[in-house]
Amino acid sequence: MSEETPTSVTMEKDGDVAVIIVNNPPVNALSWHVRQGLEDNFAAALSDDSVKAIVLRCAGTTFIAGADISEFGKPPRGPDFNAVLNSIEAASKPVVAAIHGTALGGGLETALVCHYRIAVPSAKLGVPEVKLGLLPGAGGTQRLPRVVGVEAAATMTSTGDPLPAAKAKELGLVDELAGEDSLAADAIAFARAKIADGPRPTRERPVFGDIAVIEQLKTANAKRWRGFEAPYANLACVEAATRLPFDEGLAFEREQFMKLMFGSQSAAQRHIFFAERQAAKIDGLPKDTQLRDIKKVGVIGAGTMGGGISMNFLQKGIPVTIVEMEQEALDRGVGVIRKNYDASAAKGRFKPEQVEQMMGILTPTLSLDDLADCDLIIEAVYENMDVKKDIFGKLDKIAKPGAILASNTSYLDVDEIATATSRPGDVLGMHFFSPANVMKLLEVVRGEKTAPDALATAMAIGKKVGKVAVVAGVCDGFIGNRMLKPRQIEAMNLLMEGATPAQVDKVHVEFGMPMGPFQMSDLAGVDIGWHRDPNRIESIRDALCAEGRWGQKKQAGFYDYDDKRQPSESARVAELIEEFRTKAGTQKREITDQEIIERTLYPMVNEGALILAEGKAQRASDIDVVWIYGYGWPVYRGGPMFWAGLEGTDKIVAALEKHGFEIAPLLKEKAEAKSGF
Ligand code: 3HC
């Protein structure tokens, strides 16, 4: 027994079956005291002659959901996890894992050293370590191929996706399904039935299956895994299981695990795991703030944004009333929603009847008056303050008391929009990212007068529809677009000095972004925010727009595009850049990839520091979440503020000073302290 007696694991007896119960809320993670409790209670059950079989079960909503991630990187405490697991596997009495909720990571590895597994039908089993930049480091990569075969083990470890209990049963990962509400009793009966069979140590079972799947997985996921180390390390361990004796395989797994654990990718991915959960917490707001009830949503504007926003709610069974000015635009918008759903149904994501159900709760209308019964109204018309104020003025008269009035503006002043109403406490921003039904980020913009319960409700409804919601303060572009601006400005400046769009984009893609600044501009539309006067040409962008080079939609932007939207470098764009350079008298010079990083990515960190100091983001990790989920910043670099720490804030400041940038005081402070954010 340890000095501090662990209470998170207890044992009770049912005749000749000992039931060991883990109770470590909220997710029964394998904290040091759980490992200690498992060691102590298994030892007790094994030394008790009246015990003939052992059940391992969990209290609360789930089976063990994994190692305690918050212990990673800290000095070790309590017994070694692998040693605990090895001793359970070596037990002289049959051990049964009784699974409900989620058996994940170290949780599934614990179940794998039990000799048998029984699960309720709603349970899910998986090894999601890869999503934390890790691999199952407690024998999972060696035991899974012995239970489910190489194909399933390679897929499970490298993708991290969990299996439903029925599928796990099919694969032999679960031996028996219990009744949904009778796991405790069913597990005891099952364990008793296994007394005659005795233990079945997984390590003694042979590995089976074809390793060809490993190369197939690498090919199929080449794009998705670009830049990531962990999927490949997971596959290497499964491959090792096919050729090494068990203990050597375990040693190989350990070595790979430690490499990942102390590498920067896993540190970044673990940071994001907690950052995402932290983002949901609103500073200064009590946890028990009463939320407003959102039963019906109104969306104004049936364009790309309005349609995408509506789809989020329809998919969760929340009725939407969608408003447009003209019948034709309304029909077109509703048609696009249906087309998108039909396409998803064709891919098997929805059943045709689900599509009908979703379309059945969508009410198209030309009248704002039809929004009178909505609990949340999201305005998604084009970016013009006068238009938005006019709409909010009208909504003020139409919306029911307590309805939340949200604008999907991507940069306008939400406080000014709120002045058009007599209820600024109900007004806030809900900034979705395009395509709004796909992108996970939602910036919830907190106005000066936004009521706490309105804010908390917007955050909660965001989570309900599957978004990662982050609170942002009112400022030009909020968090994400405000940081995008200095990046885009510098990218354009670099063209003037000798870089090409392809060079700048290549550096960003190699860094891990899904696309570079110019590819992004072509995709979004070079003409967004353009003054629309073809005779007023003050920048390279004005020149492109004047020539109709509006991006992919016109098959021409910073790049030329063929019929399949494949880009190629444009001679015309090179000519235009040259013209501007000559006019400005700028010397063309060699631009290094490092300079592109320093001048496009470092200024984002600088802007992030300003945002943080001004309190427009609650915490540095919220900024990281915005960039991961809104713009595809590589998760293995943890977001711009986390990355600044990896890169070295002192190095960033030195480079920014060299290039003549004004340094944010907070960034300077961090650099002087040689710390991250
Ligand atoms: N360690 C420590 N804390 C954890 C945790 C873990 N493994 N899993 C969840 N938590 C915490 C969360 O941070 C959160 O804390 P908060 O309330 O203070 O913000 C709380 O538990 C509840 O988590 P969620 O909000 O995510 O709850 P959900 O009900 O939405 O989801 C879950 C539950 C599916 C279990 C989800 O939390 C999850 O996916 N957890 C991570 C599972 C995982 O990755 N396991 C593998 C860990 S690595 C490992 O096992 C290594 C081994 O191979 C050696």
Side-chain angles (χ1 to χ4, degrees):
M1 276 281 195
S2 67
E3 260 170 61
E4 296 163 67
T5 309
T7 52
S8 47
V9 185
T10 52
M11 181 166 70
E12 44 192 58
K13 273 171 70 179
D14 184 293
D16 52 359
V17 178
V19 182
I20 296 176
I21 301 170
V22 176
N23 186 6
N24 185 29
V27 297
N28 289 317
L30 288 154
S31 314
W32 72 270
H33 47 90
V34 173
R35 300 195 300 275
Q36 183 70 61
L38 287 173
E39 187 175 86
D40 295 344
N41 282 285
F42 267 94
L46 290 171
S47 62
D48 182 340
D49 287 342
S50 68
V51 170
K52 304 289 181 227
I54 303 167
V55 168
L56 173 64
R57 185 164 67 74
C58 289
T61 53
T62 180
F63 192 75
I64 300 164
D68 184 341
I69 308 168
S70 65
E71 284 182 357
F72 289 2
K74 296 189 184 144
R77 189 172 182 196
D80 174 68
F81 184 38
N82 269 299
V84 174
L85 293 192
N86 288 339
S87 71
I88 296 176
E89 189 176 42
S92 53
K93 305 171 185 180
V95 182
V96 172
I99 300 169
H100 74 297
T102 43
L104 296 178
L108 185 59
E109 290 174 300
T110 307
L112 280 167
V113 296
C114 296
H115 306 134
Y116 305 94
R117 287 159 292 279
I118 180 170
V120 297
S122 62
K124 290 209 167 92
L125 298 86
V127 272
E129 283 87 343
V130 69
K131 296 180 182 174
L132 297 169
L134 293 171
L135 52 84
T141 66
Q142 304 304 297
R143 289 191 178 93
L144 267 177
R146 290 173 159 81
V147 175
V148 297
V150 174
E151 286 92 341
T155 309
M156 286 175 75
T157 53
S158 64
T159 65
D161 297 333
L163 302 175
K167 179 75 188 164
K169 168 122 196 312
E170 223 174 85
L171 289 168
L173 182 55
V174 162
D175 298 288
E176 191 155 299
L177 291 179
E180 193 63 54
D181 301 315
S182 55
L183 179 65
D186 292 353
I188 291 170
F190 182 62
R192 197 162 279 137
K194 287 292 168 196
I195 293 172
D197 295 347
R200 180 185 57 172
T202 305
R203 65 169 67 211
E204 288 171 14
R205 298 167 66 178
V207 172
F208 62 96
D210 188 351
I211 60 165
V213 70
I214 291 179
E215 288 312 311
Q216 287 159 11
L217 279 164
K218 286 184 192 167
T219 309
N221 291 290
K223 201 167 160 206
R224 191 171 149 207
W225 293 347
R226 186 172 63 88
F228 285 91
E229 291 164 1
Y232 298 98
N234 272 278
L235 291 175
C237 289
V238 173
E239 190 275 331
T242 65
R243 60 182 166 80
L244 296 178
F246 185 82
D247 282 328
E248 284 177 38
L250 217 51
F252 181 80
E253 178 194 88
R254 191 85 216 136
E255 189 192 311
Q256 298 291 313
F257 179 80
M258 294 316 258
K259 225 190 266 173
L260 292 176
M261 171 71 100
F262 291 105
S264 65
Q265 293 206 348
S266 176
Q269 289 178 255
R270 285 173 352 238
H271 160 73
I272 287 301
F273 176 85
F274 288 114
E276 184 184 329
R277 282 152 182 84
Q278 189 69 16
K281 294 170 185 133
I282 308 169
D283 286 347
L285 213 67
K287 242 189 152 179
D288 55 356
T289 300
Q290 196 67 36
L291 299 182
R292 301 188 192 182
D293 210 8
I294 307 292
K295 290 211 181 79
K296 195 164 187 189
V297 172
V299 174
I300 305 171
T304 316
M305 270 330 265
I309 292 169
S310 303
M311 289 174 74
N312 291 305
F313 296 98
L314 298 174
Q315 273 154 236
K316 292 290 165 190
I318 302 171
V320 174
T321 301
I322 190 163
V323 190
E324 254 299 343
M325 306 259 286
E326 310 280 345
Q327 189 65 47
E328 203 192 322
L330 185 63
D331 291 346
R332 198 182 326 121
V334 171
V336 170
I337 296 178
R338 174 171 280 282
K339 208 175 99 204
N340 287 340
Y341 279 147
D342 283 343
S344 298
K347 286 186 204 139
R349 252 197 82 208
F350 298 119
K351 296 195 185 100
E353 55 270 29
Q354 280 176 303
V355 173
E356 293 317 313
Q357 262 165 19
M358 294 188 289
M359 293 308 292
I361 54 172
L362 176 66
T363 309
T365 174
L366 294 175
S367 169
L368 281 178
D369 291 338
D370 291 337
L371 299 176
D373 61 347
C374 291
D375 306 295
L376 164 66
I377 302 171
I378 304 170
E379 162 277 311
V381 304
Y382 61 97
E383 296 283 37
N384 178 298
M385 181 55 88
D386 293 338
V387 174
K388 295 203 189 258
K389 280 169 90 170
D390 179 55
I391 289 175
F392 274 74
K394 287 179 180 146
L395 285 181
D396 193 30
K397 298 191 177 65
I398 295 166
K400 67 183 185 187
I404 295 175
L405 310 181
S407 172
N408 177 51
T409 180
S410 48
Y411 62 90
L412 292 175
D413 184 338
V414 172
D415 290 329
E416 190 180 340
I417 296 174
T419 60
T421 74
S422 62
R423 38 173 138 175
D426 295 338
V427 178
L428 44 74
M430 285 178 83
H431 179 211
F432 290 83
F433 285 67
S434 189
N437 55 320
V438 177
M439 294 302 285
K440 284 197 75 171
L441 179 65
L442 172 66
E443 279 180 332
V444 176
V445 186
R446 180 182 203 167
E448 202 190 336
K449 297 191 174 148
T450 303
D453 65 333
L455 179 68
T457 304
M459 293 291 285
I461 192 82
K463 183 169 184 200
K464 186 167 179 187
V465 300
K467 301 294 173 199
V468 179
V470 175
V471 178
V474 175
C475 58
D476 187 26
F478 314 124
I479 298 173
N481 284 345
R482 177 167 163 184
M483 286 168 70
L484 193 61
K485 205 168 168 183
R487 186 187 91 164
Q488 299 298 99
I489 290 173
E490 265 324 282
M492 291 303 292
N493 288 343
L494 282 161
L495 296 191
M496 291 290 282
E497 292 169 44
T500 62
Q503 187 195 359
V504 176
D505 286 343
K506 180 198 76 141
V507 170
H508 281 245
V509 171
E510 281 175 2
F511 180 80
M513 301 295 293
M515 61 188 95
F518 298 106
Q519 291 162 321
M520 185 173 160
S521 195
D522 274 3
L523 181 68
V526 183
D527 60 316
I528 287 185
W530 177 46
H531 49 59
R532 315 246 144 210
D533 178 356
N535 297 315
R536 203 176 118 202
I537 298 178
E538 289 154 2
S539 65
I540 295 172
R541 194 185 74 143
D542 288 348
L544 292 181
C545 287
E547 290 188 12
R549 299 189 69 98
W550 293 5
Q552 285 197 21
K553 58 189 168 190
K554 298 270 188 179
Q555 290 198 331
F558 284 97
Y559 296 87
D560 291 333
Y561 294 87
D562 65 15
D563 291 342
K564 292 191 183 102
R565 293 205 171 192
Q566 283 305 310
S568 56
E569 287 191 58
S570 162
R572 177 64 190 139
V573 171
E575 224 171 70
L576 280 172
I577 295 170
E578 196 56 53
E579 271 173 32
F580 267 85
R581 198 180 285 137
T582 312
K583 237 191 289 169
T586 313
Q587 277 297 326
K588 186 173 176 174
R589 62 184 176 85
E590 195 69 36
I591 307 276
T592 64
D593 291 356
Q594 179 61 23
E595 180 172 348
I596 293 173
I597 300 257
E598 290 173 3
R599 288 182 52 192
T600 56
L601 297 182
Y602 288 3
M604 291 175 57
V605 174
N606 200 39
E607 196 66 37
L610 290 174
I611 289 173
L612 206 54
E614 290 167 24
K616 303 300 181 189
Q618 298 190 93
R619 41 190 97 85
S621 61
D622 281 10
I623 299 177
D624 291 333
V625 170
V626 163
W627 271 84
I628 299 277
Y629 289 109
Y631 301 84
W633 182 282
V635 62
Y636 58 79
R637 293 194 200 267
M641 306 315 275
F642 183 84
W643 174 70
L646 292 178
E647 191 77 351
T649 45
D650 50 345
K651 178 178 159 196
I652 291 177
V653 165
L656 286 174
E657 278 172 345
K658 181 180 75 188
H659 296 300
F661 288 91
E662 195 181 326
I663 313 294
L666 180 62
L667 177 57
K668 202 173 245 171
E669 222 175 83
K670 298 287 178 194
E672 276 158 14
K674 288 195 186 307
S675 80
F677 285 89

